[in-house]
Amino acid sequence: MPQMTTNATDPMIGRMIDRRYRVRSRIARGGMATVYLATDVRLERRVAIKIMHGHLADDQAFRERFIQEARSAARLSHPNLVGVYDQGAEDDTAYIVMEYIPGITLRDLLQEHHALTPEQATDILRAVLAGLASAHRAGIVHRDLKPENVLLADDGRIKLGDFGLARATTANTATGAALLGTIAYLSPELVTRGAADSRSDIYALGIMLYEMLTGEQPYKGDQPMQIAYQHANDTVPPPSASVPGVPPELDELVAWATARNPGDRPADAREMLDHMAGGAPRATGQYRTAVLRPENATAILPSDGPASQTPASFGSAPDDDATDATTVLDRGAGATAPRGRNQPGPRRTGAQPGVLSPAAQRLADKSAKRRKRGWIVLAIVVLLAIVGGTIGWVYGPGPLGNVRIPEVAGKSITQARQLLEAQGLRTATTTGHRFDAVVAKGAVSTTKPAAEREVRKGTAIQLVLSNGPRMIALPAIVGQPESTVTAALDDDFEMQDTRYQFSADAAKDTVIAATGRDASGTVDLGTATTYAERGPVTLTVSLGPVPDVVGSTVDDARTTLTGVGLELGTQDAKYDDQVPAGQIISASATDDPAVQGTTIDVVVSKGPAPITLPDVHGKTINDATSTLEGLGLKVSVPDCTNILCGFYDWKATLPVQSTDPGAGTTVHRGDTITLAYEQ
């Protein structure tokens, strides 16, 4: 899966998808989606993630087709197919997570070398057929086979990917006005009817084989419809017509795979693969190949002695043309066929029995020479086989053979030396050193040459020891925006899942804390100045303060809290003289610090507490006033109109006759009570 130049303005670069996949760079862009190189932070491995284009996300048909790709590919598991790991959606964007294959595509190889050798083309075709056979066996048609979808890994693996147009073989209805797939590889039935099955994939493979052998596609045109017309009406020419030297077997294979009638093609990839392996003969079709046995055989008949000569009583001269004749035997007739006048036997010239004619003698001499040469050739072949076998053993399992360097990363020096010696290799006297974020300090980090390389037995292998991880200076972290910190740390460290919590002291989306881990335990990266390369980093990011819902109604508080990921918890009620009934008096989080999902418990006001008005009848006005005001009530006393009231403290003397409202009435703090008295 070759990489392309990363678009620096691509907003996906650096983004964390589903809190698991960190997008690193862009690999390729297609009609439906863009493929990125990403890191699965959970499993610490590189993956390829295909993300649907934003302008297609609102199209339900495209979304369903994109999901169908993931489901189709996920059903398949084969060494020659790109694996699918995961599928999901985030912010209305659908994505597929696939196996990352570093290398090039078949298209890149063709652009570099133009045409391939028959051996190279056959090797690639076998690998593609093996993977496609697995898909066909599962009932899946690829529908978009082309060199761009054949991946050639750096380690030699060949994989078929991009089941973007794949669907079940039973779903072979027309696609509508638009033909899916690349026009250069469309089968005639897709062009004319818009229908496809496994034989349509075989047609595309035949076109690919032609292109691998010749370096060009069989049909060309300025407009797509011109190429489509040729697919529907013309016959693909043999590759040898363009490139002399292409074996006739490959000409035949191209013709079989690209037959215009689907019934004349292999039924599926398995049939074509078996034919290439010689495991199954071709059953039908005009391109059948067979080796026919001759109906007649030619032989020199041995002499039958004097009795075989023509008797003198025939009265005829010897027939020179019949002497030493060559007889054609009917198949199955053998050497005992009857001889008559019309079937003369071989004759000898001369009267002595056992003396061969000159022609027969020459044949006998040649036969003897051939037998002698045959024995010589056999002796040479046997000798060469013995020499070849000896050389093969010496350079194979013998002392001069090649061996594969074992993987010794993470081993101690002693363990690594033992593994190398077990393979017939030596350990170099000097060791190298390098920083290694994975292997502990002092253990073997790698070897020179690297592991899995084939070298001659007895080769000295240098051990490269780990100096431990490289220490890298840390930038400012706490108080900085999350995006800034992530961009600064992502290239050098392994970012773990970010933690989010509410904080009254930090603005939303700013980093509150950062922690790491080393041999001594947890490391506070907010105060540290350096940290080990590729070390794990966990950020704690602020969600802002918990919303203040005091004074709000319960419904308004629930809406506010839900909007930031919090939940409304218990709702206790109490009387409050200051807060109106129905409003929240106080709120408290059940977790400290609060995180998304935390429950917020509230206390709701029931308004002022009720008071039963006491009986103050008979008390002086001052005493009654003191009693009622002590309960939080207001007291109203009408002015005394008696002229005598001006000469003494009438409120301290005159008794209360009644109250309004009357005694026993339920009132509330702040209510006004009017006192009545006799003047």
Side-chain angles (χ1 to χ4, degrees):
M1 194 169 293
Q3 291 197 33
M4 62 181 290
T5 304
T6 300
N7 186 349
T9 62
D10 194 325
M12 294 302 301
I13 305 301
R15 178 175 169 182
M16 177 73 80
I17 297 178
D18 206 11
R19 297 192 179 183
R20 177 172 181 178
Y21 304 105
R22 175 74 63 185
V23 179
R24 293 186 173 276
S25 61
R26 192 168 70 191
I27 296 176
R29 182 177 177 88
M32 287 179 58
T34 301
V35 182
Y36 295 92
L37 173 63
T39 298
D40 183 343
V41 298
R42 186 176 302 170
L43 299 180
E44 297 184 353
R45 66 177 176 185
R46 292 196 169 188
V47 296
I49 183 166
K50 175 183 282 190
I51 301 176
M52 177 186 284
H53 293 330
H55 66 279
L56 300 176
D58 295 333
D59 191 321
Q60 185 63 26
F62 274 103
R63 287 178 63 88
E64 291 178 355
R65 180 170 150 211
F66 195 79
I67 294 172
Q68 176 64 27
E69 171 184 358
R71 292 175 178 172
S72 298
R75 291 168 54 188
L76 306 176
S77 177
H78 191 274
N80 295 111
L81 296 179
V82 175
V84 173
Y85 298 147
D86 193 9
Q87 178 268 333
E90 184 179 76
D91 297 334
D92 296 328
T93 299
Y95 66 87
I96 300 172
V97 182
M98 304 174 294
E99 176 185 9
Y100 172 61
I101 309 295
I104 63 174
T105 67
L106 177 56
R107 174 65 67 205
D108 299 328
L109 186 65
L110 290 173
Q111 290 175 346
E112 181 177 354
H113 296 282
H114 184 64
L116 308 181
T117 66
E119 292 79 8
Q120 292 170 328
T122 303
D123 287 344
I124 293 174
L125 180 63
R126 281 198 183 99
V128 174
L129 279 170
L132 190 61
S134 175
H136 286 175
R137 185 167 57 250
I140 302 299
V141 181
H142 191 286
R143 292 173 53 86
D144 194 23
L145 287 170
K146 54 188 177 182
E148 287 80 355
N149 292 336
V150 178
L151 307 180
L152 311 177
D154 292 339
D155 58 6
R157 292 175 297 160
I158 301 173
K159 286 182 175 274
L160 175 62
D162 198 356
F163 278 71
L165 302 177
R167 67 179 182 184
T169 54
T170 55
N172 57 1
T173 56
T175 59
L179 290 176
L180 301 178
T182 303
I183 195 71
Y185 306 92
L186 286 185
S187 62
E189 61 269 19
L190 261 175
V191 173
T192 58
R193 306 192 308 273
D197 58 19
S198 57
R199 296 170 296 183
S200 305
D201 285 346
I202 297 300
Y203 183 90
L205 277 181
I207 300 295
M208 284 174 53
L209 178 58
Y210 181 96
E211 188 173 1
M212 286 191 287
L213 294 170
T214 65
E216 59 185 11
Q217 296 164 354
Y219 300 137
K220 301 180 180 66
D222 296 331
Q223 299 295 328
M225 289 310 299
Q226 294 175 336
I227 300 176
Y229 179 85
Q230 294 176 74
H231 280 294
N233 297 278
D234 295 346
T235 299
V236 175
S240 60
S242 299
V243 180
V246 172
E249 294 84 359
L250 293 183
D251 281 345
E252 178 191 359
L253 200 61
V254 170
W256 189 26
T258 59
R260 286 204 305 273
N261 183 359
D264 292 334
R265 301 180 208 143
D268 55 23
R270 172 52 58 188
E271 181 178 354
M272 188 171 180
L273 184 63
D274 289 344
H275 173 76
M276 292 184 65
R282 293 258 299 284
T284 59
Q286 57 179 322
Y287 305 105
R288 181 169 182 171
T289 301
V291 178
L292 301 178
R293 295 184 179 273
E295 293 296 327
N296 299 302
T298 302
I300 303 297
L301 292 177
S303 171
D304 291 331
S308 66
Q309 297 179 8
T310 304
S313 59
F314 283 173
S316 60
D319 187 354
D320 292 337
D321 292 336
T323 303
D324 305 312
T326 298
T327 301
V328 177
L329 299 179
D330 290 338
R331 185 176 183 181
T336 60
R339 296 178 187 153
R341 294 182 58 84
N342 295 327
Q343 189 179 7
R347 293 184 178 182
R348 296 178 183 169
T349 59
Q352 296 182 5
V355 178
L356 298 176
S357 68
Q361 184 63 51
R362 288 195 298 272
L363 288 173
D365 292 343
K366 290 181 180 180
S367 178
K369 290 180 181 179
R370 283 197 297 269
R371 286 195 298 272
K372 183 177 181 180
R373 285 199 300 269
W375 282 109
I376 294 174
V377 170
L378 177 61
I380 293 174
V381 169
V382 171
L383 179 60
L384 290 177
I386 294 173
V387 173
T390 302
I391 294 175
W393 176 82
V394 171
Y395 288 93
L400 298 181
N402 289 342
V403 293
R404 195 178 299 274
I405 300 175
E407 179 63 69
V408 296
K411 306 293 185 182
S412 67
I413 297 177
T414 301
Q415 292 172 331
R417 182 179 293 112
Q418 291 173 348
L419 289 173
L420 292 174
E421 291 175 352
Q423 293 294 102
L425 301 170
R426 296 185 297 109
T427 304
T429 56
T430 60
T431 58
H433 294 81
R434 74 170 187 174
F435 290 108
D436 194 311
V438 177
V439 177
K441 184 177 181 179
V444 177
S445 174
T446 186
T447 58
K448 291 184 179 180
E452 302 302 323
R453 288 276 301 276
E454 283 195 356
V455 295
R456 188 68 55 81
K457 284 184 178 180
T459 300
I461 307 299
Q462 184 186 43
L463 300 179
V464 180
L465 305 183
S466 170
N467 284 335
R470 179 167 56 98
M471 300 304 291
I472 298 177
L474 291 172
I477 296 178
V478 176
Q480 302 299 314
E482 177 189 9
S483 58
T484 301
V485 174
T486 299
L489 301 180
D490 188 49
D491 289 339
D492 297 320
F493 308 103
E494 291 295 336
M495 305 301 295
Q496 308 298 304
D497 290 346
T498 301
R499 300 171 181 171
Y500 295 90
Q501 68 183 49
F502 290 90
S503 173
D505 301 323
K508 188 176 184 296
D509 295 328
T510 59
V511 177
I512 302 172
T515 58
R517 180 169 293 277
D518 60 15
S520 62
T522 302
V523 179
D524 183 359
L525 301 182
T527 58
T529 57
T530 60
Y531 186 49
E533 182 182 18
R534 310 316 305 166
V537 175
T538 301
L539 299 180
T540 302
V541 177
S542 172
L543 294 172
V546 174
D548 184 8
V549 295
V550 173
S552 302
T553 64
V554 171
D555 289 340
D556 289 344
R558 179 180 289 106
T559 300
T560 300
L561 295 175
T562 302
V564 296
L566 297 171
E567 298 180 3
L568 183 64
T570 60
Q571 304 166 38
D572 294 335
K574 64 179 292 186
Y575 294 108
D576 192 291
D577 297 334
Q578 306 300 322
V579 180
Q583 293 185 1
I584 294 175
I585 302 170
S586 63
S588 60
T590 56
D591 298 326
D592 186 20
V595 297
Q596 288 185 330
T598 292
T599 298
I600 305 298
D601 296 334
V602 298
V603 177
V604 183
S605 173
K606 296 196 296 184
I611 301 172
T612 300
L613 188 64
D615 185 3
V616 294
H617 177 266
K619 292 186 177 182
T620 64
I621 294 174
N622 284 343
D623 291 343
T625 299
S626 177
T627 298
L628 296 177
E629 287 180 346
L631 296 176
L633 301 172
K634 297 178 182 179
V635 178
S636 174
V637 180
D639 291 337
C640 182
T641 58
N642 191 322
I643 192 171
L644 296 177
C645 289
F647 296 98
Y648 67 100
D649 186 2
W650 57 275
K651 289 185 179 181
T653 304
L654 296 178
V656 174
Q657 298 295 321
S658 62
T659 59
D660 184 19
T665 303
T666 300
V667 294
H668 298 87
R669 289 178 65 88
D671 288 352
T672 300
I673 308 301
T674 302
L675 302 180
Y677 59 93
E678 184 177 351
Q679 299 189 19

